[in-house]
Amino acid sequence: MSALQRTPLYDAHVAANARLVDFGGWEMPLHYGSQIEEHHAVRQNVGMFDVSHMRSVDISGPQSRAFLRYLLANDVNKLKQTGRALYSCMLNPQGGIIDDLIAYHFAEEQWRLVVNAACAQADIAWMKRVASAKSFEVVIAERPDLAMLALQGPQAMKVLGETRAPWAAAVAEVKPFTAVTFGDVVVARTGYTGEDGVEIMLPADQVVDLWNDLLAAGVAPCGLGARDTLRLEAGMNLYGQDMDALTIPAQAGLSWTVALADEARDFVGRAAITQFPASGQMLGLKLQEKGVMRAHMTVQTASGDGEITSGTMSPTLGISIAMARLPDGVLVGEDVHVNIRGKSVPAKVCQLPFVRHGKAVEPKS
């Protein structure tokens, strides 16, 4: 068995008494004592996550834009200005999701993709295969020299400005899904929690100083446990759990990320998802009685059975919530039943997300 990989913040996690676990081959913090307190810190104040295991991949060359327009289901032509970012799926020829990622536009011939850690090597191999097959003039460069830190919560922008004063003015003006650069540091107003905040890409030898400065400013270190309950409340897919290479974007509630407006644009997977649309939809569930919904539990509906892909107890709402792949025809507000250890428990179908900016999302009338 090969040794687990560690991020540049490993010693900082140990010093903060993190419980470390194997996460896709990386030794990462699950929590620092209380997953619930870390969750509430992000919803109510500010928390930070080491996400250095995610991989940055730089795309450069004269055909960078054309390559990304073919590689990704979303259309990078939506990025009219440098500094803008775009969420997209990367599909296989059958329309299944190889990975979900964020594409950053730095210059006409300079882009960056940030992909999931567990998929990184397969993703890069796939990018190179697509580029070679179509003879795109691009350079695909993995960036293991970069670390990444997510600062999330209603006080995130204020704390970052106080901790890094030279960045304060520019960061305060940056719009959602937009990035600003400070030398070799990129600060992007993106995140995975449903809260305001930023994700900071920086040289690995600078991340410990930033972590320690934020820690001294009162920012709570948060682990994978809180990250999962926060993202589920925010209705965001987790790759490998809510979607995989057999899932097309519509089945994961990600049709909005597939750009079909330009009929002349071909991209990997387009023919499959337009000619052979699959059934199923991603919706939320709120359990109506005590219990906790978990992945792979069966959902009984009037239109047939569905399956939970992610479920947990929501720290913000105090009830069990879940994301579920349900048959076409199931509607928001419908009563269904979830099989929890052989017991049929009532649940209500709802739209996603469950929580946004610290508050419960109320059903649409």
Side-chain angles (χ1 to χ4, degrees), residues 322-351:
M323 294 168 64
R325 190 158 297 124
L326 301 176
D328 295 332
V330 175
L331 300 174
V332 169
E334 190 169 320
D335 293 318
V336 299
H337 285 80
V338 179
N339 187 326
I340 301 179
R341 300 188 187 88
K343 180 182 178 183
S344 184
V345 183
K348 182 78 74 177
V349 179
C350 63
Q351 73 269 29

Side-chain angles (χ1 to χ4, degrees), residues 100-112:
D100 64 326
L101 54 83
I102 295 180
Y104 294 92
H105 177 31
F106 296 143
E108 185 56 31
E109 296 185 12
Q110 186 178 2
W111 305 71
R112 177 170 295 164

Side-chain angles (χ1 to χ4, degrees), residues 91-126:
L91 306 180
N92 58 32
Q94 293 74 41
I97 302 172
I98 294 175
D99 200 1
D100 64 326
L101 54 83
I102 295 180
Y104 294 92
H105 177 31
F106 296 143
E108 185 56 31
E109 296 185 12
Q110 186 178 2
W111 305 71
R112 177 170 295 164
L113 306 180
V114 177
V115 304
N116 285 300
C119 308
Q121 295 310 310
D123 286 353
I124 294 167
W126 174 250

Side-chain angles (χ1 to χ4, degrees), residues 5-8 26 51-60 104 106 109-115 117 120-121 123-124 127-128 139-148 181-186 200-206:
Q5 300 182 77
R6 294 173 174 175
T7 76
W26 290 81
V51 286
S52 302
H53 59 305
M54 299 184 74
R55 183 61 77 217
S56 294
V57 184
D58 285 352
I59 310 294
S60 60
Y104 294 92
F106 296 143
E109 296 185 12
Q110 186 178 2
W111 305 71
R112 177 170 295 164
L113 306 180
V114 177
V115 304
Q121 295 310 310
D123 286 353
I124 294 167
M127 293 173 199
K128 292 181 177 178
V139 176
I140 299 167
E142 186 178 359
R143 297 294 306 273
D145 57 313
L146 297 179
M148 190 167 171
T181 58
F182 305 95
D184 47 10
V185 176
V186 176
I200 306 165
M201 291 170 273
L202 71 172
D205 60 3
Q206 297 179 24

Side-chain angles (χ1 to χ4, degrees), residues 55-348:
R55 183 61 77 217
S56 294
V57 184
D58 285 352
I59 310 294
S60 60
Q63 291 191 299
S64 300
R65 181 184 292 273
F67 170 63
L68 292 173
R69 292 195 80 204
Y70 182 71
L71 180 73
L72 304 179
N74 213 339
D75 190 352
V76 297
N77 267 6
K78 293 178 180 178
L79 304 179
K80 303 299 184 185
Q81 299 175 329
T82 57
R84 296 284 295 170
L86 183 76
Y87 176 73
S88 180
C89 292
M90 185 166 65
L91 306 180
N92 58 32
Q94 293 74 41
I97 302 172
I98 294 175
D99 200 1
D100 64 326
L101 54 83
I102 295 180
Y104 294 92
H105 177 31
F106 296 143
E108 185 56 31
E109 296 185 12
Q110 186 178 2
W111 305 71
R112 177 170 295 164
L113 306 180
V114 177
V115 304
N116 285 300
C119 308
Q121 295 310 310
D123 286 353
I124 294 167
W126 174 250
M127 293 173 199
K128 292 181 177 178
R129 182 177 166 189
V130 171
S132 176
K134 292 289 184 178
S135 300
F136 283 109
E137 294 183 44
V138 294
V139 176
I140 299 167
E142 186 178 359
R143 297 294 306 273
D145 57 313
L146 297 179
M148 190 167 171
L149 192 154
L151 185 68
Q152 297 282 295
Q155 298 300 313
M157 311 304 278
K158 176 176 180 291
V159 170
L160 183 61
E162 292 171 349
T163 305
R164 288 292 182 271
W167 301 353
V171 168
E173 295 295 324
V174 71
K175 305 297 184 186
F177 264 74
T178 301
V180 290
T181 58
F182 305 95
D184 47 10
V185 176
V186 176
V187 181
R189 201 161 187 172
T190 54
Y192 194 51
T193 64
E195 294 298 330
D196 196 6
V198 294
E199 293 176 306
I200 306 165
M201 291 170 273
L202 71 172
D205 60 3
Q206 297 179 24
V207 72
V208 173
D209 286 345
L210 178 59
W211 176 276
N212 287 336
D213 290 345
L214 291 171
L215 201 64
V219 177
C222 303
L224 294 168
R227 193 163 185 255
D228 195 53
T229 52
L230 289 160
R231 73 93 191 166
L232 210 162
E233 287 185 350
M236 296 182 183
N237 284 264
L238 174 64
Y239 193 82
Q241 185 160 321
D242 302 298
M243 56 183 171
D244 56 27
L246 299 177
T247 308
I248 70 166
Q251 294 173 311
L254 295 174
S255 293
W256 62 275
T257 70
V258 180
L260 298 172
D262 183 352
E263 296 181 357
R265 183 177 75 101
D266 189 20
F267 61 84
V268 179
R270 177 166 189 151
I273 61 176
T274 53
Q275 294 177 22
F276 307 104
S279 60
Q281 56 182 331
M282 183 72 83
L283 290 169
L285 296 178
K286 293 180 180 177
L287 202 64
Q288 302 298 294
E289 295 180 359
K290 290 184 178 179
V292 181
M293 296 180 284
R294 298 295 187 192
H296 307 304
M297 288 180 173
T298 299
V299 185
Q300 299 165 323
T301 83
S303 302
D305 286 353
E307 182 182 16
I308 288 174
T309 55
S310 289
T312 192
M313 177 63 72
S314 164
T316 302
L317 303 181
I319 59 171
S320 180
I321 60 173
M323 294 168 64
R325 190 158 297 124
L326 301 176
D328 295 332
V330 175
L331 300 174
V332 169
E334 190 169 320
D335 293 318
V336 299
H337 285 80
V338 179
N339 187 326
I340 301 179
R341 300 188 187 88
K343 180 182 178 183
S344 184
V345 183
K348 182 78 74 177

